[in-house]
Every structure is written in structure tokens, then in C-alpha cells.
């Protein structure tokens, strides 16, 4: 890190310390509530006020916390309503990539794949699908979209959000919210704010200065408020010393006073920590129960420690949104029927549009006639979505292998090899003393089955034990090897955030794994399995160095026998867990090295959540990033591989070379935090801004993505129009086929602004489809907000005037033309 950046960081942290002190003061309950309650709640009309006057205290409080739904469809939350006054219940469902209930819904591609299309109009139609299906499935509130920035490549929910760039994230979240709410479903932007990791998310204290917070993280939330989001979900973490769900500087000073938000604020699930402090800070609803906003809230009103007017304020905000959506007067439109066909069409379109071609040497793609080997477990196992809140029960999900075979036709022979085992192989009976059926042991209901024996290992080796079981996670078999539990229960909700793909086998059994090195010889093995009320089926399998070598050898043989190879690689991400490395899990790196050595015409298809290091990159022919592509992912992947459509995606995040070269590498205070505190000392230099400031070259830059054709960028000019910059340039398709271009405009620093500034920031972009030889003149407007910086002394945006450089290019690392413009007040 340069000395300049280090000094800036020190100043930021000093500012952060001041902000901590301020938050600690303003977060306390004031002896006088007059200032808090002086702001009128706009949008609360006569209907809401009339209901509020008739509600009892108990009825008011029942609207401020979750309860048990007597007719649940498996959604995340429920507010019972007040039947006496015809206030209907509210059902709240997860839905970052489709409606998450127990019924079938369209499983859309992950939001990060949607974002890769750089297309707000497509984001709006994505939102329309979720909005329509949410209402069709009996839901009223969608707990989505997520707009927290991608700050660390390890964050477990990077696939659920949009970008490392605040402009792109803000454009897309605003468009998606308009699509969701246009269908009558209330959107909830989340997680407010600075929830940029899963590691210690329930307790980490994020220390961040005011400029960084406004320029980086808050811009997407502000865009969501501008788009009219009905609700905001508070985050788990602390911000400058105070939990986000009781943080008055965030919930009142920024959200309501600065931005004018008129909806309601709910907690993330179990993210409340207080009663009086939370509701006076600006929290309106506790989910999923009433630990703090139930009986304790009633007691606080009755004993005089909280004026009832605070309860009224929260109820007014909730009823105001319900009234806006026609839920109080019966004007809400009838619930539509699901349109699965239309949802599938949008899912397919998004997956194609976001498919991002990272590498394509020697015309490896598109695939041509001839023999083809498909390799990898996710070649046959559809990778629909990540784990946690993003999981959806899809209408269907074909395997990539099936889609590739269907598209290849009779002229191409398609073979398949596993390459990397996810679910293990049978433990030989000869290794178990006494022998038992480890491949399918059944335990009857009410019975307990026990095994007390030994496992004999022929040679020292690394073993991965794989347990498959039919019971609930908390009732799974106990397996002790040499006295140690192989599959202990994870703490808290960890059992429910165990992965999106590899936590269940193809026949529906739950799966847990444990890897350890075993010495040669006998090892004690004890198993206790209870049948419970419904009986139990379990399997105990293993993956060893010997089985891995066999799988790789079969894959190499298939690769050598084929003209081309498509190798599917995976990384399984989930809410609740961060990654520990950018490398692919398991033996996949070794598999790719071996296969590409056997056949350089190998395309690696990545079904990963976020950026991935690629030490094997130079030996591949092509790399296609598909993230988690939803229920139509197989068809979309096949279409791109065979050139039926152009890969239309561009990276919305920088891909680091390795674990040592990215914005939070080598500094535990930046990530994952030290002693419960994390410092955003990189300031405004997040993502590609950090790479530019530090002179570090990423593996692939923000905005990168190849086409099957080529484009030129020419004749750029920029003009100040009084409200922003109009940047005009020509894009020409210089290749032989039609394709997708995503020209990007970047703007340099203001020479007249004495604030920390990035080397350059994304100012605008445009998604274009051009025929071979077609030329198009394009104007991209750069808004004054993008040309401004947040001044913490003034607590306001300040326009960066003066002569500023403007670049147009294909990515942040491929800037083709440059011009200048004078920015004036």
C-alpha cells in the first residue's frame, strides 16, 4: 500500500472514531421525545389515521412483530393483521432469485448473473416475474432485493447481490423494485447497511467513515428509496458501534431525514437487540417473533418508559404502505395465476444475457461438430441456485449434459466422465469389521440402530467421509471415528445454511462431509442412529486419494478421445457462511490441470458464486462464467457454448489473481475483523477503484467479458449540459457476426475537489446488439451525482468541478478512447 493511501486511511479511521462517538450518543434514548416525533409521516391519509384511532394497544403491537401463520406455505414471516378492522395479514417471503416457499416457483438466475447483463430494463422484467409469482403464491411482501456491495470476494452472499460498483447496483436495484412493486408485491431492500460478509455477521462492528458510507454502500439503498421501495430490512451487524437495527444515524437521520423514506423498517430475522432503543431509533417491525416488540414493548408503554406515540408511528408507517398497495380498502387487484411459461422465458433470457465469456483462445468457442466430452459433477447435476434465502423449488431443472446432447444432435458424439466426486463411493465391506450395509442402512420408526466396530485403512490417505441421511439435520446419525464425532451439529442456524447444491444428494437425502488424514491400520468406528417417528435411511460413503485418482484418470481418457471438452466446475455458496479461499473446492484444480494437459480445447464452465482464482487458466481454451443460472441454466449454457447466442455478460466485480492480491488481502482488520471490529480502511477504494489506486492488476477487471465478434470504439466527445456530462462516441461491430457490446464510460478525478477521490469511476454504460459491420453513435449521460463526492464536513454532496478526463472502453482495464470535459457549477 502506498504512503498516500495509508495516510488517507488513518484520517478516515479518525473520522470513523468520531462517528462512533456520535452514534453512541445519538443512539441513546433521549429524555425528550419531541424532536423524534416532530416529523409528520407523509402518506398516512385519513384511512390510516382512522384505523390507528380505533386500534387497541394490543392490536397495534400485534402489527409490529412476527407470528405463526396458521396457513403457512413455508414462507419466511407472517403478520396476523386485525380481522376486527379488516386489516389483512401480511405474508413475507424470501425471494432474491424467485419466490421461496414450499410450492413450485420460477427459479431465476442469481442476481449477480442478472447484474452481469448491465441492463436495467431486464432487471425490471426480472422483478416483474418475482412480483407476479409472489402475489400468485399468496405473498404480500418480498424480502428482496439485496443491494449490499461486493466488498470482499469471500462473502457468502455475493451471488445474491449485484456489484462492487455503487452506480450499477443502484440502477439495477431501482429497476427491479419497480418491476416487483408494479405487480402489487411490496419490495424490501436489504440489508441496511454494511452487511458485506457472513463471517460474524450477527456481531461484527463495522467502523466506516461518512464519505465511504455515502459514496459506496448507501448509494444503492438511496436508489431503492428513490424507486419507492415499501420496506427496508435492517442488517445484523453493528455500524460504528451500534447495531444496525437500533442505529438512529442510519434509520432516522439518513433513511428518513436525508432521503425521505416513508415505508417501514423491519429487522433481519432475529436481528433485534432492544425494545425502547430500537423503536426510538427508527425500527418499526421485529421479525420473526416478538422477543422485543411483543410483551416487552407493551410493558414499556404501560410503565411510562416509552410514549405510545412511538408505537403509533411504527403502525402508521406499516399501514401507510399497506394502504398505498390497496390492502386496506380492498382495491388491491385479484391475485393472478402463475404464468410458469412466461417466468421460464425470462429466466432463460437472463441466463443468456448474463453469461460472461472470460477467455476464448484459438476459437475454442463456439463449439463445432465433432466428438465432445462433458466432464464434472455439475455437468449432470443442475446447479440452480445458492443456499439459504435464495433457494427456490423450481418447476424443472435439466442437466447441462442433457441440454448439450440435445443441442449437439446426431453429428456430435457426446460422452461423460464424473471427474470430481461430490457424494462418495461405497466403503468396501472388507474394510469394516464386523461388516454392515453402509450403502443403505434402514432404521425403523421408534428403533435405534448401533454399530461398534472398526474401519481398516490399507494405506495412509486423505479420506472424506460423506454421510447421507433422510432425517432432519438435528436427528442425523452420530458417527464417531477414533472417539471423535465426524459430523457435529453446527451452532445456531448453521445447519440450515449448509449449501445450495452439495448439501443434498440427487435422490433427496441430506449430506454432510468430513475430511481428515487417516493412518494405515484399524480405526474404531461407532454409529448410533435413531429411527424417530418416521424411520431413517442413511449411507456412509468415502472419497479418498485413490478414488480421486481413478475419477481423474477416467476424465483424462474421455478428454483425449474427444475433439473438444466442456468441463463444469463449481463452488457452493450459501447464506451464513463465507468462503475461505478463492480456489475451487476439492480436487477440481487438479482435475482441470490434468484434463487441459490431455486436451487444450477445453472450455471450463464456472458455476461459482463470485470471483475465482485460476492457476490453471493459461492451459484452457475458454472459460465461461455462468454463476448460478437458475432453472433454465442448462439450456442457456448450451446456447452460449454452441453460439446460438452471443455471451452477453460482463463482470460486475473484479476477479483477483489469488488470495494475496485483492482489497482486503493481508489485513485482518479489513476482513474478517479483529476482536469483533472491522475497519473499512480502504475507504472509497472498493473493487476496481482499489486496483487502480494500488496499481495492482486483477486476473480479470470489472466490466470484462468477451463476445464472439469484435468491436471498436471511436470519436469520443464529452459536453457539460448543466446537469451532467453527455458523452458521445461510436461503437462499430468489426467482426463477421452479430453480437453484444457493453461500452462503459469512466470519469477521472476533479482537480478542484479537496476530498479523497478514486482514480476513475464508472459514469455510465449501454448494452447494445450490433449486426456484423454495424456502426452506432451512442450518448451516455453521466449524472451530476456521479461527478460529486460526499463532504463529511458539510454532510452533503459536492460537485467535482474542473477539467475531468473521460474514458470509453470495454472494461475498467480496457479503455479504448479518451477525451476531456469541463464540469461547471
Amino acid at each position: 500500500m502506498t504512503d498516500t493511501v495509508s495516510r488517507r486511511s488513518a484520517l478516515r479511521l479518525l473520522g470513523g472514531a468520531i462517528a462512533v462517538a456520535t452514534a453512541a450518543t445519538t443512539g441513546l434514548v433521549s429524555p425528550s421525545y419531541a424532536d423524534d416525533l416532530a416529523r409528520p409521516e407523509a402518506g398516512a391519509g385519513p384511512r390510516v389515521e382512522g384505523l390507528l384511532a380505533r386500534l387497541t394497544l394490543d392490536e397495534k403491537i400485534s402489527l409490529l412483530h412476527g407470528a405463526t401463520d396458521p396457513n403457512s406455505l413455508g414462507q419466511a414471516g407472517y403478520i396476523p393483521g386485525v380481522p376486527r378492522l379488516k386489516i389483512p395479514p401480511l405474508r413475507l417471503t424470501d425471494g432474491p432469485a424467485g419466490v421461496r416457499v414450499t410450492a413450485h416457483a420460477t427459479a431465476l438466475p442469481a442476481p449477480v448473473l442478472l447484474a452481469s447483463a448491465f441492463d436495467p430494463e431486464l432487471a425490471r422484467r426480472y422483478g416483474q416475474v418475482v412480483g407476479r409469482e409472489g402475489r400468485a403464491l399468496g405473498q404480500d411482501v418480498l424480502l428482496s432485493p439485496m443491494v449490499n456491495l461486493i466488498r470482499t470476494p469471500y462473502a457468502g452472499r455475493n451471488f445474491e447481490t449485484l456489484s462492487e460498483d455503487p452506480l450499477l447496483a443502484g440502477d439495477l436495484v431501482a429497476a427491479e423494485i419497480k418491476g416487483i412493486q408494479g405487480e402489487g408485491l411490496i419490495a424490501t431492500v436489504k440489508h441496511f447497511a454494511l452487511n458485506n460478509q457472513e463471517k460474524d455477521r450477527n456481531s461484527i462492528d463495522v467502523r466506516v467513515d461518512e464519505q465511504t458510507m455515502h459514496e459506496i454502500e448507501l448509494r444503492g439503498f438511496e436508489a431503492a428509496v428513490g424507486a419507492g421501495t415499501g420496506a427496508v430490512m435492517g442488517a445484523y451487524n453493528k455500524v460504528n458501534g451500534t447495531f444496525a437495527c437500533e442505529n438512529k444515524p442510519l434509520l432516522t437521520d439518513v433513511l428518513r431525514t436525508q432521503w425521505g423514506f416513508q415505508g417501514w423498517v423491519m429487522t433481519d430475522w432475529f436481528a433485534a437487540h432492544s425494545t425502547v432503543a430500537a423503536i426510538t431509533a427508527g425500527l418499526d417491525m421485529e421479525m420473526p417473533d416478538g422477543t422485543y416488540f411483543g410483551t416487552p414493548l407493551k410493558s414499556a408503554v404501560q410503565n411510562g418508559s416509552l410514549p405510545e406515540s412511538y408505537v403509533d408511528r411504527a403502525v402508521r408507517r406499516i399501514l401507510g404502505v399497506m394502504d398505498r398497495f390497496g390492502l386496506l380498502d380492498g382495491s388491491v387487484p385479484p391475485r393472478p395465476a402463475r404464468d410458469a411459461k412466461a417466468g421460464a422465458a425470462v429466466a432463460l433470457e437472463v441466463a443468456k444475457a448474463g453469461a460472461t465469456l472470460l477467455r476464448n483462445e484459438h476459437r475454442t468457442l463456439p463449439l463445432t461438430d465433432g466428438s465432445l466430452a462433458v466432464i464434472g459433477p455439475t455437468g449432470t447435476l443442475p446447479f440452480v441456485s445458492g443456499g439459504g434465502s435464495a433457494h427456490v423449488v423450481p418447476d424443472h431443472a435439466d442437466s447441462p449434459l442433457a441440454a448439450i446432447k440435445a443441442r449437439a444432435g446426431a453429428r456430435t458424439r457426446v460422452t461423460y466422465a464424473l471427474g470430481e466426486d461430490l457424494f462418495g463411493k461405497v466403503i468396501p465391506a472388507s474394510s469394516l469389521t464386523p461388516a454392515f450395509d453402509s450403502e443403505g442402512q434402514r432404521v425403523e420408526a421408534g428403533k435405534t440402530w448401533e454399530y461398534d466396530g472398526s474401519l481398516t485403512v490399507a494405506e495412509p490417505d486423505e479420506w472424506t467421509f460423506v454421510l447421507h441421511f433422510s432425517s432432519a439435520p438435528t436427528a442425523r446419525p452420530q458417527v464417531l471415528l477414533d472417539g471423535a464425532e465426524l459430523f457435529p451439529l453446527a451452532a445456531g442456524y448453521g445447519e440450515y445454511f449448509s449449501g445450495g447444491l452439495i448439501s443434498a444428494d440427487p435422490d433427496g437425502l441430506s449430506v454432510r462431509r468430513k475430511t481428515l488424514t487417516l493412518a494405515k491400520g484399524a480405526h474404531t468406528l461407532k454409529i448410533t442412529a435413531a429411527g424417530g417417528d418416521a424411520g431413517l435411511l442413511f449411507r456412509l460413503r468415502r472419497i479418498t486419494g485413490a478414488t480421486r485418482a481413478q475419477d481423474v484418470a477416467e476424465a483424462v481418457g474421455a478428454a483425449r478421445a474427444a475433439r473438444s471438452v466442456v468441463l463444469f466446475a463449481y463452488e457452493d455458496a450459501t447464506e451464513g457462511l463465507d468462503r475461505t479461499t478463492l480456489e475451487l473446492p476439492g480436487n477440481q484444480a487438479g482435475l482441470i490441470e490434468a484434463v487441459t494437459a490431455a486436451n487444450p480445447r477445453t472450455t471450463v464452465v464456472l458455476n461459482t458464486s463470485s470471483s475465482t482464482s485460476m492457476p490453471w487458466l493459461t492451459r484452457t481454451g475458454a472459460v465461461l462464467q455462468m454463476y448460478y443460472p437458475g432453472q433454465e441454466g442448462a439450456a442457456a449454457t448450451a446456447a452460449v457454448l454452441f453460439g446460438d447466442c452471443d455471451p452477453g455478460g460482463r463482470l460486475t466485480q473484479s476477479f483477483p489473481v489469488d488470495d494475496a492480491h485483492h482489497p482486503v488481502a493481508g489485513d485482518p482488520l479489513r476482513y474478517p475483523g479483529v476482536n469483533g471490529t472491522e475497519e473499512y480502511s480502504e475507504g472509497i477504494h472498493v473493487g476496481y477503484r482499489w486496483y487502480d489506486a494500488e496499481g495492482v492488476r486483477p486476473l480479470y477487471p470489472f466490466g470484462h467479458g468477451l463476445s464472439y465478434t469484435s468491436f471498436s470504439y471511436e470519436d469520443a466527445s464529452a459536453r457539460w449540459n448543466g446537469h451532467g456530462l453527455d458523452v458521445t462516441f461510436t461503437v462499430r461491430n468489426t467482426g463477421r457476426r452479430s453480437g453484444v457490446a457493453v461500452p462503459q464510460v469512466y470519469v477521472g478525478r476533479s482537480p478542484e475537489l479537496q476530498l479523497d477521490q478514486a482514480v476513475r469511476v464508472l459514469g455510465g454504460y449501454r448494452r447494445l446488439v450490433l449486426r456484423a459491420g454495424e456502426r452506432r453513435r451512442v450518448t451516455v449521460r453521466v449524472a451530476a451525482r456521479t461527478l460529486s463526492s460526499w463532504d463529511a464536513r458539510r454532510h452533503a454532496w459536492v460537485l467535482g468541478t474542473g477539467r475531468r478526463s473521460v474514458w470509453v472502453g470495454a472494461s475498467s482495464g480496457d479503455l479504448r478512447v479518451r477525451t476531456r470535459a469541463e464540469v461547471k457549477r
Side-chain angles (χ1 to χ4, degrees), residues 595-673:
V595 168
T596 52
N599 189 332
R601 292 186 58 82
T602 295
T603 297
V604 176
V605 177
L606 293 171
N607 291 130
T608 56
S609 67
S610 187
S611 54
T612 303
S613 61
M614 306 179 196
W616 35 262
L617 178 65
T618 58
R619 303 182 79 167
T620 64
V623 177
L624 177 63
Q625 175 63 259
M626 290 300 297
Y627 297 106
Y628 302 151
Q631 68 178 47
E632 307 299 324
T637 301
V640 174
L641 289 173
F642 285 94
D644 299 336
C645 65
D646 204 40
R650 304 296 184 265
L651 292 181
T652 69
Q653 59 192 298
S654 308
F655 273 35
V657 171
D658 54 34
D659 288 296
H661 297 87
H662 56 77
V664 300
D667 187 347
L669 262 176
R670 285 191 182 179
Y671 176 84

Side-chain angles (χ1 to χ4, degrees), residues 192 225 232 249-261 265:
F192 193 61
V225 170
V232 170
L250 279 176
L251 302 185
T252 295
D253 299 347
V254 171
L255 185 60
R256 297 198 183 272
T257 303
Q258 290 181 17
W259 298 346
F261 176 61
V265 177

